[in-house]
Amino acid sequence: MLLTLDVGNTNVTIGVFDGDHARATWRIATDHERLADEYAVTLLGLLRAEDIDPSEVTGAVMACVVPELATVFEQLCKRYFKVSPLHVTAGDLEGDGDIDLVLVGERLVPGPRCRIGGSPGPARDRLDRLQRDGPLLTDTCE
């Protein structure tokens, strides 16, 4: 199963996926002072409530906009799930607030709200250049 963590300034969205199926999702408050062990107590309790054994988690993906918490959640993943999380970050090429590109590890993929598809212009040119010069998993925007 895959553990997903979206660490934001206000809350942390957590999901556990078995293939394409979401087994469970939760939101907990972000606390900049909490340690990995404290977050783990909460997360392990949530997993127990859904009858999910932590040993079933074989991978983790994390997006984090709170730099001081990135290490906290890395420690949580390594200590309690024995996995290193894959880091995901997002970029807005057009400045419209939509996520155009997502950096997954070291690979770029079009984001979930990418609207630059085949449209001409600076954003499309940048995406074309990234496809040509950098590794992209796909060349389409949805």
Side-chain angles (χ1 to χ4, degrees):
M1 279 192 271
L2 178 68
L3 174 67
T4 61
L5 302 162
D6 182 0
V7 183
N9 287 304
T10 306
N11 58 59
V12 179
T13 304
I14 304 164
V16 177
F17 292 83
D18 189 358
D20 291 339
H21 173 69
R23 288 276 309 267
T25 59
W26 306 277
R27 283 184 185 271
I28 61 174
T30 300
D31 182 345
H32 299 245
E33 302 300 317
R34 286 179 89 179
L35 303 173
D37 295 333
E38 294 171 305
Y39 275 112
V41 168
T42 300
L43 179 53
L44 293 172
L46 292 170
L47 290 170
R48 258 191 315 279
E50 295 292 330
D51 292 322
I52 298 171
D53 185 336
S55 68
E56 294 179 72
V57 173
T58 57
V61 176
M62 176 177 71
C64 184
V65 297
V66 186
E68 63 269 22
L69 289 179
T71 302
V72 168
F73 281 94
E74 285 174 17
Q75 291 170 349
L76 179 150
C77 289
K78 289 177 182 176
R79 180 169 183 189
Y80 293 95
F81 300 101
K82 311 296 187 251
V83 298
S84 293
L86 179 65
H87 290 264
V88 177
T89 50
D92 177 4
L93 291 178
E94 294 185 318
D96 59 5
D98 285 339
I99 303 303
D100 300 318
L101 290 175
V102 178
L103 180 64
V104 181
E106 296 180 7
R107 300 194 60 140
L108 286 169
V109 297
R113 295 189 184 156
C114 182
R115 294 186 295 168
I116 59 178
S119 63
R124 180 72 233 180
D125 293 343
R126 276 179 259 164
L127 181 58
D128 288 341
R129 189 171 51 254
L130 286 167
Q131 286 177 272
R132 187 177 56 250
D133 301 336
L136 280 171
L137 295 177
T138 181
D139 63 357
T140 60
C141 293
E142 298 177 16

